[in-house]
Amino acid sequence: MLCQQLSAAGCDPQSVLVVGGGVAGMHAALRLSDLGIPVLLVERNAYLGGMVMRLDKVYPTDHCAFCPTWTTALACYRSALIQVALNTEVTDFSTNGNEISVSLRQQKPAIDPALCLFCGACRTSCPSNALLERDPQRTWDPALPPSMSIDPARCNGCGHCVEACPVNAIDLSRQEEAITLPVGDVLFATGFEEPKPSDPRQAPEFGVGSHPDILTAMEFEAWYNETLDAKELQTRSTGRPAQSVAFIQCAGARDQRHLPYCAAVCCMHAMKQARWLKRRNPNIAITIFYTDLRAPGAGQERYMRLGAQEGIRLLRARPGLVMASEASGIGVRYEQPESGQAVGERFDLVVVNGGLAQCRLSKAPTPPSESKPVHRCGFCAEPADVATSVIQGAAEAYAAAQRRRARDGGAQ
Ligand SMILES: Cc1cc2nc3c(=O)[nH]c(=O)nc-3n(C[C@H](O)[C@H](O)[C@H](O)COP(=O)(O)OP(=O)(O)OC[C@H]3O[C@@H](n4cnc5c(N)ncnc54)[C@H](O)[C@@H]3O)c2cc1C
């Protein structure tokens, strides 16, 4: 059930707290509820589903990412044993003997989505055009009721919308609230941190953020989806069709200076995006610069081979520099694998895969006791694709349930 307002009184202290409502966290919550265990599922976004909710299709099947993820989210909202807290972030947690207490920060939208009738009266009354038809974050999840939202950058705080609202859904003083709750067990499913161009861990030599046509994989996924109406993918700088695209793998990943480990999913999602491009425009030239092609899961090796057969060029080289100039587009410098010579090549669009960092709380949680360990599943336990994250979520849920049974049995 969707819980708009968290309070200590409304939460079962024996609940398992699942931190993170991506595919791993949702599946863990559902398996726990199947066993009759109450769950508090906390998600910092305004929607469930995590990263998968924002993908178009998923490798290795190329099936729709959204449909199964949304169905799983609906099952969580509908379960009587799962309390879903959106817009809520777990910031810390402490232990005292066998007791665990968790600190949460809940964002309170100025317009309460549970009350909003979506009538638009607030928008008509607003002198600064600050009312948005939908909370941009909520559009990811159609299971949530549509709600107006306020753009804080435009709102001048005049309060006309508060007077205009027929159901008193607007309170401009509403902000975030800190809450502390006792919980029975904790299971982390916090996934990964989305790489941002401004992230200092990004290797600067790849030029992410310096030119509109040098994109991260997530930016590319969004741009590709946004431009689906056009026959061919266009560059962001000129709007002309992109004729050549480079995917640069391990850009700062598997690199002691930035992200030391392999994120396990980037080779496959680069190939997925490359194959989409080829289907849309068979004449486009695509190069994937890779270190090792990693395709560990079922059907993934075949997926890679199909891409190569379709004409996607796979080049084992680690580019050292990506530079954009107005005259000659985006240049990529790399060492040619056969000759060892440094060469430069020009591309219309470059997608930089800088790896994905596991998302964990800044303070490592201390397990309260041996019978109450801290469980982790999904990407935050080990970089993994969707299928593995789902399986891990279920496995950790069963492990937590088993420990709880053993503990309760021992106490009787
Ligand atoms: C561009 C791209 C394309 C991909 N394509 C595919 C593909 O085609 N096929 C495939 O199998 N895999 C793909 N992947 C990998 C896939 O996204 C991951 O395997 C999957 O998202 C892992 O799920 P998760 O639940 O562990 O993590 P996430 O999806 O990251 O979910 C974690 C959730 O935890 C929440 N959270 C984090 N910290 C807190 C906190 N402190 N409090 C509350 N909530 C918190 C986050 O908001 C998030 O919603 C792709 C990844 C990328 C980046």
Side-chain angles (χ1 to χ4, degrees):
M1 93 208 73
L2 187 58
C3 129
Q4 306 283 357
Q5 197 107 22
L6 268 179
S7 71
C11 283
D12 183 339
Q14 289 311 312
S15 292
V16 176
L17 168 73
V18 177
V19 189
V23 285
M26 290 195 299
H27 280 272
L30 287 169
R31 297 298 76 80
L32 286 163
S33 70
D34 291 345
L35 298 169
I37 297 173
V39 178
L40 173 60
L41 176 59
V42 171
E43 169 52 55
R44 68 177 168 200
N45 289 330
Y47 57 93
L48 288 180
M51 176 55 75
V52 185
M53 205 65 155
R54 295 162 55 190
L55 302 177
D56 181 27
K57 295 187 175 61
V58 277
Y59 69 74
T61 54
D62 280 345
H63 287 168
C64 171
F66 173 79
C67 299
T69 315
W70 185 44
T71 314
T72 311
L74 273 181
C76 291
Y77 293 134
R78 286 177 181 160
S79 167
L81 281 173
I82 304 175
Q83 208 177 357
V84 181
L86 298 175
N87 297 309
T88 307
E89 187 171 4
V90 171
T91 52
D92 197 4
F93 80 104
S94 59
T95 54
N96 182 8
N98 237 350
E99 282 163 25
I100 307 176
S101 84
V102 57
S103 307
L104 304 154
R105 202 170 40 217
Q106 193 173 32
Q107 295 284 346
K108 297 273 168 71
I111 302 185
D112 186 340
L115 295 177
C116 176
L117 298 176
F118 205 51
C119 65
C122 51
R123 196 178 44 183
T124 319
S125 72
C126 178
S128 46
N129 203 15
L131 272 298
L132 305 173
E133 274 227 335
R134 274 198 108 165
D135 181 336
Q137 274 224 341
R138 294 172 77 85
T139 54
W140 296 109
D141 191 344
L144 301 174
S147 165
M148 302 293 291
S149 73
I150 296 181
D151 179 354
R154 288 198 200 154
C155 175
N156 64 10
C158 67
H160 289 165
C161 56
V162 180
E163 285 159 28
C165 178
V167 287
N168 295 328
I170 307 178
D171 179 352
L172 294 179
S173 65
R174 211 160 18 214
Q175 282 166 355
E176 62 177 39
E177 195 181 310
I179 313 147
T180 304
L181 296 175
V183 289
D185 290 276
V186 182
L187 200 153
F188 281 91
T190 46
F192 57 83
E193 285 168 18
E194 190 181 326
K196 300 203 170 53
S198 57
D199 188 336
R201 282 171 307 187
Q202 286 274 356
E205 58 269 34
F206 297 105
V208 176
S210 69
H211 188 276
D213 294 323
I214 307 177
L215 294 88
T216 64
M218 216 42 239
E219 286 174 327
F220 176 79
E221 185 114 6
W223 174 240
Y224 184 92
N225 293 337
E226 252 173 60
T227 56
L228 272 177
D229 285 346
K231 192 173 165 283
E232 294 170 39
L233 184 82
Q234 298 148 350
T235 59
R236 294 206 298 188
S237 57
T238 61
R240 283 200 289 269
Q243 304 292 342
S244 56
V245 177
F247 288 84
I248 301 181
Q249 304 303 105
C250 306
R254 301 175 70 188
D255 177 338
Q256 292 303 328
R257 292 165 305 157
H258 303 287
L259 196 71
Y261 50 84
C262 166
V265 297
C266 315
C267 288
M268 279 301 291
H269 75 59
M271 180 52 93
K272 173 185 78 172
Q273 293 172 338
R275 291 189 68 198
W276 290 349
L277 277 177
K278 267 277 174 206
R279 272 177 226 159
R280 194 157 155 188
N281 173 10
N283 297 324
I284 196 167
I286 303 174
T287 303
I288 300 182
F289 291 94
Y290 69 95
T291 311
D292 297 300
L293 274 185
R294 294 203 161 154
Q300 297 188 3
E301 180 89 32
R302 185 175 163 273
Y303 195 89
M304 281 284 176
R305 268 204 307 270
L306 285 174
Q309 283 163 16
E310 284 158 8
I312 292 158
R313 175 183 172 218
L314 296 166
L315 191 62
R316 186 172 201 163
R318 285 189 82 144
L321 190 64
V322 178
M323 266 181 75
S325 79
E326 262 184 37
S328 56
I330 304 168
V332 174
R333 277 190 82 74
Y334 63 96
E335 191 184 293
Q336 223 176 28
E338 298 89 24
S339 64
Q341 274 187 342
V343 288
E345 221 174 301
R346 197 200 144 277
F347 295 93
D348 292 337
L349 216 130
V350 173
V351 183
V352 177
N353 271 310
L356 298 164
Q358 289 165 297
C359 176
R360 294 190 167 172
L361 295 195
S362 51
K363 193 182 100 191
T366 328
S369 69
E370 235 176 74
S371 66
K372 275 197 172 188
V374 171
H375 296 268
R376 286 186 202 284
C377 62
F379 203 96
C380 78
E382 194 181 337
D385 59 12
V386 172
T388 314
S389 301
V390 166
I391 294 167
Q392 275 189 357
E396 276 311 307
Y398 291 132
Q402 212 168 21
R403 286 219 165 78
R404 175 177 282 226
R405 267 202 196 125
R407 212 165 53 218
D408 293 351
Q412 277 162 16

